[in-house]
Amino acid sequence: MDENKPNSQNETPVNPGVVEQLEQIKKAVPDTSQRLFDFLASNLKPIAVGCGIIILAVAAYSGVNHWRKGQAAKAADSLGVILIEKTEPEARIQALEAFLKDSPSSLKPTVLLELAAAAMIGKQYDKAVSAWTELEGSSSPDLKAMAAIGHAKSLIMAEKPKEALTLLENAKAKAPEAYANAITRQMAVAAEAAGDTQAASAAYAELANKAEGSGKPYFEFKANQLKPKS
């Protein structure tokens, strides 16, 4: 017997249907899974006994994105029901907190925004601050700026204007220019509430310099009113 001849008796026969199914699955698998498919194909004979499991695994991989989209859609529907049905602040806060624990990452900013707003209306400022703080960790400069403004407003409502002013001063240095006026307005309110008339006057003066129309006289009046007397 030729020793170099493969011993076909020791090889596990491969069901032709399996090969065909793998080829069909290959067409549906994203490019990023090509290495996985090549591995499965090259090792098909050694693991032919478990080929049914392999087919299921690859098929499941190709359907992950579809499943995720379906789950996100269901979650969005559930969030919509909460926002429609839970109109009382305390009930809405509790529902949103429960929903947040298992919500998809794509929905978390929306849930946190709704939670912060409900907590502010319900005068639960610690929960509002917590939600705004989490939003400030976003990679989006716009969301960071909006969250800083909301955070500061929560602190002012909680009678912590000095903390709000410090937060806004730091945020203003990093925020996109489009949010400069909104942050400066909040700084003026925070500084005035904190009794820092110099900072308040400076903020109103900055607003007056940039303002046009009916708002300008008001900002000029506030800047002069709060300007420290020499």
Side-chain angles (χ1 to χ4, degrees):
M1 181 182 292
D2 187 353
E3 295 181 356
N4 294 325
K5 185 177 180 180
N7 186 358
S8 59
Q9 293 179 348
N10 294 331
E11 291 185 355
T12 305
V14 180
N15 187 332
V18 171
V19 178
E20 182 181 351
Q21 284 178 295
L22 277 175
E23 289 298 332
Q24 291 176 354
I25 290 170
K26 182 177 180 180
K27 297 176 182 179
V29 178
D31 292 340
T32 52
S33 65
Q34 183 62 42
R35 290 179 63 186
L36 172 62
F37 179 87
D38 290 343
F39 171 80
L40 295 175
S42 63
N43 290 275
L44 183 59
K45 290 184 179 180
I47 57 180
V49 174
C51 64
I53 297 175
I54 293 170
I55 291 174
L56 289 175
V58 177
Y61 182 91
S62 66
V64 163
N65 286 338
H66 178 73
W67 178 84
R68 286 176 177 167
K69 288 178 182 178
Q71 292 300 105
K74 289 180 182 178
D77 289 344
S78 297
L79 177 58
V81 171
I82 291 173
L83 298 180
I84 292 171
E85 293 185 348
K86 307 297 183 182
T87 56
E88 195 274 323
E90 180 60 34
R92 179 173 285 204
I93 291 168
Q94 291 180 1
L96 289 170
E97 286 178 328
F99 181 84
L100 186 61
K101 294 176 183 178
D102 298 311
S103 65
S105 57
S106 59
L107 278 180
K108 282 191 175 179
T110 302
V111 180
L112 287 167
L113 284 168
E114 292 291 347
L115 177 57
M120 291 172 74
I121 293 172
K123 299 183 180 180
Q124 296 189 34
Y125 303 121
D126 56 335
K127 292 186 177 182
V129 165
S130 178
W132 289 125
T133 300
E134 191 167 347
L135 285 166
E136 285 175 292
S138 168
S139 60
S140 165
D142 295 290
L143 189 53
K144 278 180 179 286
M146 289 188 289
I149 295 169
H151 187 171
K153 187 171 183 179
S154 295
L155 289 172
I156 293 170
M157 294 171 73
E159 299 183 356
K160 298 178 180 179
K162 288 184 179 180
E163 291 183 30
L165 182 59
T166 300
L167 184 154
L168 289 164
E169 288 171 343
N170 292 331
K172 188 176 180 181
K174 304 172 185 177
E177 182 60 29
Y179 297 89
N181 275 359
I183 293 175
T184 304
R185 280 174 178 264
Q186 203 70 15
M187 285 176 64
V189 174
E192 189 172 2
D196 189 340
T197 55
Q198 184 173 353
S201 177
Y204 280 119
E206 181 180 338
L207 291 168
N209 289 334
K210 295 180 179 179
E212 296 180 358
S214 58
K216 189 177 183 69
Y218 171 76
F219 294 138
E220 289 176 337
F221 166 75
K222 292 295 292 184
N224 291 327
Q225 180 191 43
L226 295 167
K227 189 174 183 179
K229 304 296 188 288
S230 55

